[in-house]
Amino acid sequence: ALVDRCRGFEDVRVEFSGDGIMKLTICRPWKRNAFRPKTLRELEQAFLFIRDDPNTRVVIMTGEGTEAFCSGGDQSIRGDGGYVGEDGVPRLEVLDLHILMRRLPKPVIAMVAGYAIGGGHILHMVCDLTIAAENARFGQTGPKVGSFDGGYGSSYMSRIIGQKRAREFWFLCRQYNAEEAFQMGLVNKVVRLEELEAETVRWCREIMEKSPTAIACLKAALNADCDGQAGLSQLAGEATRLFYQSKEGQEGRDAFLERRKPDFAPYARF
Ligand code: 2NE
């Protein structure tokens, strides 16, 4: 049903494995899968659907073909104040997508073949895990093309690879191969290109054997370490969700609806 709701998408292909894996593919290979506002809107829509979809346990994010995962913002539609879509409004909407991906209570795995560059490099970093093919190349280009991401692109990068390396990434705008990225801790595993999808699916299936609630709480806890009040709110939201499922939480709701005093006595803390 979720795949049907995404059928009209132009830039993103949405596919379901049948057993819990949702795959999102950016389909603009002639631009090395650079994103435009429409691409981001479709990804956001898909993530909103996925959040509520009990059948989806893990998400794979990837790019069409073997040349690129994603090359960041489409420079040909970059206006003077951001990336300009059909409505003519310049935006930096990818920052909203980062938040949605962080907030998703399910793991997102980047499956990277070819270039993950600029905003495309940030997208793979924002994913929870990254599986890379041997031909993958990683890097930032912002200071070369008059751009930068001081949000997750900088601060979260420094949490992953350390301050010195993050400064090197941004100040020099070099490219790094898959093995170098693995050594820096940017990538979880490097495999031969022909093995990429099978290996990524193996990781998904291994995750899906685990407790979804434990995974969601761990993702929120790991986010909370970096995300300030927003991270605490996500982690606390998971606690509230669990509390709502308890007899103690339900007693408060029921007492209000039944216009009586709540009886919390049976729920004393141990
Ligand atoms: C990705 C890379 C390294 C690939 O190089 P190569 O040699 O394999 O391909 P080529 O020939 O450069 O690119 C193939 C076609 O894709 C287009 C190119 O213009 C070319 O088009 P044609 O000449 O065939 O017509 N293309 C590739 N990337 C594009 C892009 N981002 N926008 C529009 N068209 C693109 C090499 O192509 C490269 O370095 N690309 C640019 C990477 C980049 O600078 N991205 C933007 C960073 S800024 C950003 O993403 C951002 C941010 O910093 C903050 C907020 C939001 C976004």
Side-chain angles (χ1 to χ4, degrees), residues 29-32 34-35 67-68 71-76 78 83 92 94-95 115 117-120 122 140-142 144-145 147-149 170 175:
W30 60 93
K31 295 237 178 196
R32 299 292 185 263
F35 52 75
E67 300 280 341
S71 63
D74 184 334
Q75 298 304 294
S76 67
R78 184 173 143 192
Y83 296 85
L92 286 172
V94 73
L95 306 178
Y115 290 103
I117 292 282
I122 299 165
Q140 297 299 154
T141 63
K144 260 202 310 202
V145 298
S147 179
F148 64 92
D149 177 357
W170 278 105
Q175 289 180 8

Side-chain angles (χ1 to χ4, degrees), residues 72-89:
D74 184 334
Q75 298 304 294
S76 67
I77 46 101
R78 184 173 143 192
D80 291 346
Y83 296 85
V84 183
E86 283 157 359
D87 61 5
V89 180

Side-chain angles (χ1 to χ4, degrees), residues 105-263:
K106 306 171 187 190
V108 184
I109 303 185
M111 183 169 86
V112 179
Y115 290 103
I117 292 282
H121 185 257
I122 299 165
L123 273 187
H124 106 83
M125 283 195 296
V126 171
C127 291
D128 297 288
L129 301 168
T130 298
I131 311 293
E134 283 170 346
N135 78 336
R137 290 190 74 79
F138 301 86
Q140 297 299 154
T141 63
K144 260 202 310 202
V145 298
S147 179
F148 64 92
D149 177 357
Y152 287 112
S154 302
S155 53
Y156 187 46
M157 181 197 279
S158 73
R159 294 287 184 111
I160 300 172
I161 63 175
Q163 284 279 346
K164 295 278 185 187
R165 282 295 202 175
R167 285 162 209 247
E168 175 186 321
F169 243 83
W170 278 105
F171 295 176
L172 279 73
C173 297
R174 286 182 184 166
Q175 289 180 8
Y176 303 87
N177 65 30
E179 189 51 39
E180 290 168 320
F182 178 76
Q183 294 302 335
M184 284 186 253
L186 262 176
V187 159
N188 295 86
K189 174 126 193 198
V190 180
V191 293
R192 290 190 311 128
L193 182 57
E194 312 81 76
E195 286 290 308
L196 181 61
E197 181 130 20
E199 182 67 15
T200 308
V201 168
R202 258 195 294 279
W203 283 57
C204 290
R205 298 227 158 102
E206 219 175 305
I207 291 171
M208 291 194 300
E209 289 166 3
K210 312 296 185 299
S211 151
T213 302
I215 300 277
C217 289
L218 284 164
K219 176 165 173 171
L222 290 162
N223 286 353
D225 182 45
C226 316
D227 286 359
Q229 285 284 334
L232 284 176
S233 153
Q234 183 183 2
L235 184 56
E238 291 298 339
T240 307
R241 195 187 322 279
L242 290 172
F243 184 49
Y244 274 20
Q245 292 169 46
S246 73
K247 291 255 185 302
E248 181 183 355
Q250 290 161 13
E251 167 60 10
R253 174 200 60 196
D254 293 346
F256 175 80
L257 293 176
E258 292 161 15
R259 298 177 188 278
R260 61 175 171 80
K261 238 177 119 179
D263 177 12

Side-chain angles (χ1 to χ4, degrees), residues 95-108:
L95 306 178
D96 300 327
L97 176 64
H98 296 163
I99 306 272
L100 272 180
M101 291 166 66
R102 296 279 290 181
R103 286 240 144 186
L104 190 80
K106 306 171 187 190
V108 184

